Structures are given as structure tokens and as C-alpha cells.
Amino acid sequence: MDTIMSYLQNFGAIGLFLHALIDAVIFPIPAFFLQVSLSALHPEDAIGLAALGYAGCLIGTPIGYALGRTSGHLILNRFMKKKWLDSATALFQRHGEAAILIGAFTPIPFKIFTILSGCMKYPLWKLLAYAAIGRGAKFFIVGILFYMYGRAAEHMIDGMFGVILVAVGALFCTVWLLVRRFRKRKKPERAAVPVKES
């Protein structure tokens, strides 16, 4: 893995694009780590790096999804404990969107969410929409921090970035749950309105 990471780092921005793409498909090390190391070397290019990483992730997402549809259970059963897979499956069935949003913000390899989405035949357009929100925020928060603060951002990320990402992810999920609950309340109200006969 170290050899592959060093190889990708040698390609700079293109290496990050490729890493983000395969992170959404099968690679076990999140692209976040390569983004941080490249942004620390070239803070002036940090936002461009974020854009390339984001593009790679969005291109890789439907590939990971297709892998999940064709042989996802085989892959997940091979690399995950059964109790973890059962718990993740149950959570995903109840709160698919929230699981994707949280996963997009955390350092967990994003492939788990793309493959699991394919396994469970979760709508691809929803996966892409929530991945676009969550992954976009994550890549660009890192990019903006390095662009604004240079190498000093590395210490900020080491200290508080994980907490910030989880907090932002939780905020997104809370807003989403409130909107969903509001829509569910609206539907019974519409159904209760009597239809006037003409």
C-alpha cells in the first residue's frame, strides 16, 4: 500500500484523481490522506487538487455501485465480519441517505458505501446526489483550509478536522431528517382534505 501511495503521489494532481476514483471502487486507503500530503506540498494548488479529487470520486461512485450490483455480497462477505455487515445493512435499510452523508464525511473508505448501495439496489441517482454533497464538502473544506492557511492547516486537520467533519455530517443528517419528517406530516394532511364533487 505504501508503494502504491508513493507511486500515486509522484503523479501529483492526476495521482489524486486516480486515488479518489479507486477509493470509491476498491482501494482501502481513503483519498483524503493523499489530498492532505499533496496540499501540504503545494498549498497554492489546494483548491484545484480538491476539484480533481472530487471529480475522481464522482466518476468512481457509479463504478463501485456497479461492482456492488454484480458481486458486492461476495466482496463484502470476504472483507467484512458478518455481524458488521448485518449491522451496516440494517442501518442502510433504515437510513440510507444519512449513512451515505455520514460516510462521505468520515475517513472510512467510500467504497463501502458505493458497494453496499449496489448490493441493496439503492437508487444510483440518490447515491450520486448524496455523494456529491458529502464528498464535495469534504474535499473542498480541506482545499480551502490549505489554500488559506498553507502548511499550518496540516496541524489544524490533525487536531480537530475529524471532529469538524463528523459535526458537519451530523448537521447535514439532522437537517435531512427534519425535512423528511416535515414531508411525511404534509402527506396525511393533503390526504385528509376532502375532494369537492363537481
Side-chain angles (χ1 to χ4, degrees), residues 106-123:
T106 62
I108 298 169
F110 195 58
K111 71 178 189 303
I112 291 172
F113 299 94
T114 60
I115 293 172
L116 193 57
S117 296
C119 278
M120 302 190 66
K121 298 181 180 177
Y122 186 76

Side-chain angles (χ1 to χ4, degrees), residues 85-184:
L85 184 55
D86 291 343
S87 298
T89 302
L91 180 66
F92 203 90
Q93 284 173 333
R94 290 196 304 270
H95 309 292
E97 292 92 341
I100 293 168
L101 276 175
I102 289 288
F105 278 96
T106 62
I108 298 169
F110 195 58
K111 71 178 189 303
I112 291 172
F113 299 94
T114 60
I115 293 172
L116 193 57
S117 296
C119 278
M120 302 190 66
K121 298 181 180 177
Y122 186 76
L124 177 59
W125 71 268
K126 282 190 176 184
L127 172 65
L128 284 168
Y130 286 106
I133 295 167
R135 300 299 273 181
K138 184 177 178 181
F139 274 107
F140 283 103
I141 286 172
V142 173
I144 289 166
L145 283 174
F146 273 101
Y147 186 77
M148 291 177 62
Y149 299 105
R151 297 204 64 171
E154 197 168 2
H155 299 293
M156 297 167 62
I157 288 170
D158 286 342
M160 291 295 294
F161 190 66
V163 176
I164 293 168
L165 283 181
V166 171
V168 173
L171 179 63
F172 266 103
C173 290
T174 302
V175 171
W176 169 80
L177 288 169
L178 289 172
V179 169
R180 191 173 178 183
R181 186 168 292 178
F182 179 74
R183 283 181 183 168
K184 281 185 178 178

Side-chain angles (χ1 to χ4, degrees), residues 69-86:
R69 287 293 294 262
T70 55
S71 54
H73 287 293
L74 181 67
I75 294 166
L76 292 171
N77 284 319
R78 172 79 184 244
F79 294 105
M80 285 182 73
K81 290 183 179 179
K82 189 178 184 304
K83 63 178 182 179
W84 292 353
L85 184 55
D86 291 343

Side-chain angles (χ1 to χ4, degrees), residues 38-68:
L38 287 174
S39 297
L41 289 171
H42 306 287
E44 68 282 1
D45 298 329
I47 293 177
L49 287 167
L52 274 172
Y54 179 57
C57 176
L58 291 186
I59 292 169
T61 294
I63 300 172
Y65 180 87
L67 188 66

